[in-house]
Amino acid sequence: MAGTKEIKTHMESVRETKKITNAMYLIASTKLRRARQELDNTRPYFEALRGEIKRIFRTATDVDSRYFFPTNDDTPLEGTYGCLVITADKGLAGAYNQNAIRQAQQLLEQHPDTKLFVVGEYGRRYFAQRKIPIAQSFLYTAQNPTMARAREISARLLDGYDRGELRQIFVVYTDMASAMSFQARSTRLLPFHRTSFAPPAGERAVTEPFEFLPSVTAVLDSMMASYVSGFLYSALVDSFCCEQNARMAAMDSANQNAEKLLGELSLQYNRVRQAGITQEITEVSAGAMAQKHRKER
């Protein structure tokens, strides 16, 4: 059985670890609030952009764009797919990274001819260790996502799509459904379904004439580039928020385990200390009794 010195050392180590996990919890909560605020500040712009794309489809019924499936045709395209996998730069976030990687592996199994574009050091190391080729790794974009970084990723993916190197593009990210729940998703980014921008049922078509310069296709293609950047920015921020949420949950669990372990160690320390005191009293009492018998003899 460990002595009081070893138990005290163990308790001190647990307290120091608890300080670290508590600090990581507070840092994650601060980052989560800031990221949510930044997303809320940019959301109105992209919602307005989505509304304008819907207006184009309400106005022109014969729109032909490479960013959309043909009307009444959503047959999966043959060829090379692109998959953007958003992970964290580090662990200590529960199953956050593993869930995203699992979604990417399912896509690779279904369509082996898929190029991986990875955000986050964790995902890059995971695929590199398993000799899975990575087309491009976007380093240091998982932490503090910005619109500039989203545009950089969007430009790389759209370049491959416009040149025909990528027939479909998927995004694997973690969606924050609520403050306490999140889920890893695999979403097809390109091409879009026209129904995603269809007007609500019962809404009348626009009858006023609109003039698109140089053409409705050119206007739509220009808007879609900005919309893709906005979608990726939203995915980056959602994933970042989920990462911080998962880290908060993991650190809170670690704090609770530390408290439980400290309670057990404190009880063990008191028992060992009490046993030591009892043994000392017994030895002193036995010595005194021996001295008394010796004097009587």
Side-chain angles (χ1 to χ4, degrees), residues 101 105 108 112 114 116 118 122-135:
I101 289 174
Q105 288 178 321
L108 288 172
T114 299
L116 291 178
V118 181
Y122 190 98
R124 187 195 67 79
R125 287 201 310 266
Y126 179 89
F127 291 115
Q129 290 172 358
R130 287 155 181 79
K131 311 299 181 183
I132 300 176
I134 299 176

Side-chain angles (χ1 to χ4, degrees), residues 20 35 48-49 74 89 104-105 108 110-111 124 153 158 162 188 191 205 214 233 236 253-254 270 280:
I20 296 174
L49 184 61
D74 57 356
D89 284 333
Q105 288 178 321
L108 288 172
Q110 296 170 4
H111 193 87
R124 187 195 67 79
I153 299 172
L158 286 175
D162 292 338
R188 191 189 66 251
Y233 177 65
L236 287 170
S253 177
N270 290 333
E280 289 178 2

Side-chain angles (χ1 to χ4, degrees), residues 6-201:
E6 289 80 3
I7 297 175
K8 288 182 67 176
T9 302
H10 193 180
M11 292 174 66
E12 200 61 35
S13 175
V14 173
R15 290 192 184 98
E16 292 298 323
T17 302
K18 186 173 179 293
K19 290 179 181 178
I20 296 174
T21 57
N22 189 54
M24 292 181 67
Y25 178 91
L26 297 176
I27 292 172
S29 64
T30 302
K31 289 183 176 180
L32 177 62
R33 288 194 299 270
R34 185 169 63 245
R36 281 180 174 173
Q37 183 62 43
E38 291 176 356
L39 182 61
D40 291 339
N41 291 339
T42 58
R43 195 185 299 275
Y45 169 77
F46 294 105
E47 288 179 350
L49 184 61
R50 182 181 181 87
E52 293 304 313
I53 296 173
K54 288 183 178 181
R55 179 180 296 184
I56 291 178
F57 281 104
R58 291 198 302 268
T59 305
T61 58
D62 56 345
V63 179
D64 183 21
S65 173
R66 63 183 180 277
Y67 296 124
F68 290 85
F69 278 111
T71 306
N72 300 324
D73 182 12
D74 57 356
T75 305
L77 303 176
E78 298 296 331
T80 302
Y81 289 1
C83 179
L84 176 69
V85 185
I86 301 176
T87 64
D89 284 333
K90 56 185 178 181
L92 298 177
Y96 166 80
N97 291 299
Q98 289 78 8
N99 291 338
I101 289 174
R102 191 177 300 114
Q103 289 288 333
Q105 288 178 321
Q106 291 178 3
L107 181 61
L108 288 172
E109 292 173 359
Q110 296 170 4
H111 193 87
D113 187 12
T114 299
K115 289 185 177 181
L116 291 178
F117 300 84
V118 181
V119 171
E121 183 66 16
Y122 190 98
R124 187 195 67 79
R125 287 201 310 266
Y126 179 89
F127 291 115
Q129 290 172 358
R130 287 155 181 79
K131 311 299 181 183
I132 300 176
I134 299 176
Q136 185 171 347
S137 178
F138 299 96
L139 299 178
Y140 311 115
T141 53
Q143 295 296 316
N144 302 322
T146 62
M147 193 63 216
R149 291 172 174 175
R151 288 194 180 99
E152 175 188 347
I153 299 172
S154 174
R156 175 65 182 89
L157 295 177
L158 286 175
D159 180 64
Y161 184 82
D162 292 338
R163 289 190 294 167
E165 297 176 358
L166 305 175
R167 298 302 304 277
Q168 294 193 72
I169 297 177
F170 291 82
V171 180
V172 173
Y173 71 104
T174 308
D175 182 32
M176 195 167 188
S178 66
M180 298 303 297
S181 64
F182 48 88
Q183 181 181 5
R185 297 183 182 276
S186 176
T187 302
R188 191 189 66 251
L189 177 60
L190 291 173
F192 289 100
H193 275 299
R194 293 172 183 263
T195 54
S196 301
F197 298 90

